Amino acid sequence: MACFIVPAAEAIVVTAAYVAAKKKEQKIQAPKLADGDKFATEDVKITWSKRLGWLLSLLWGGVLLLAFEHFWHGEVVPFPPFLTAMLSPEDTTNMLHEMSTVGVSMAVTVTAVWGVICAVAEAKVKKIRAGLKKGTEQG
């Protein structure tokens, strides 16, 4: 019914965090780019805005897909109250229960998968960083 609303709320919060992180990183990077030190080996890292971008892709992709699926089945309509489950108190209770169980579990699962993706990416970056460091010591 409305399980996609919980990940959508998380996606809105993460979008705000992404914008803030991106602005902060741009302020930090501006002096480095002015010095021409764009390819320093110490700077091989995955920024928070990049990581949050991955989470945003996962969340918004799932939300859009689920919203379309619910629209296709007539559970979401293009006129108020937009959710057919809000037409009666019994349906609203069922909708809130679905949001608190299915919606929360989907949001937690997507966030956990994102955490695994970030951990794997960080391990790969550490391996690359070690290889670069070893290469500069030998050269």
Side-chain angles (χ1 to χ4, degrees), residues 26-139:
Q26 286 174 346
K27 284 182 183 179
I28 292 170
Q29 283 294 89
K32 290 182 182 179
L33 292 175
D35 292 339
D37 193 23
K38 186 176 182 180
F39 298 107
T41 57
E42 323 56 77
D43 288 0
V44 176
K45 63 181 179 179
I46 302 171
T47 61
W48 267 106
S49 65
K50 184 73 149 173
R51 294 172 194 222
L52 290 173
W54 296 339
L55 180 57
L56 284 176
S57 296
L58 291 170
L59 287 170
W60 282 120
V63 166
L64 292 174
L65 185 64
L66 282 168
F68 176 75
E69 187 270 334
H70 287 309
F71 179 76
W72 188 266
H73 288 106
E75 297 168 347
V76 176
V77 291
F79 48 85
F82 303 110
L83 299 170
T84 56
M86 295 178 69
L87 295 175
S88 72
E90 297 82 23
D91 288 342
T92 303
T93 303
N94 290 337
M95 177 191 71
L96 293 174
H97 181 263
E98 180 182 329
M99 287 172 61
S100 65
T101 55
V102 177
V104 170
S105 65
M106 285 189 322
V108 168
T109 301
V110 168
T111 305
V113 168
W114 169 74
V116 171
I117 291 169
C118 288
V120 169
E122 186 62 32
K124 290 207 177 249
V125 166
K126 283 183 181 180
K127 187 176 180 180
I128 292 169
R129 200 178 300 139
L132 288 173
K133 189 174 182 181
K134 192 179 282 187
T136 57
E137 289 174 358
Q138 291 177 354

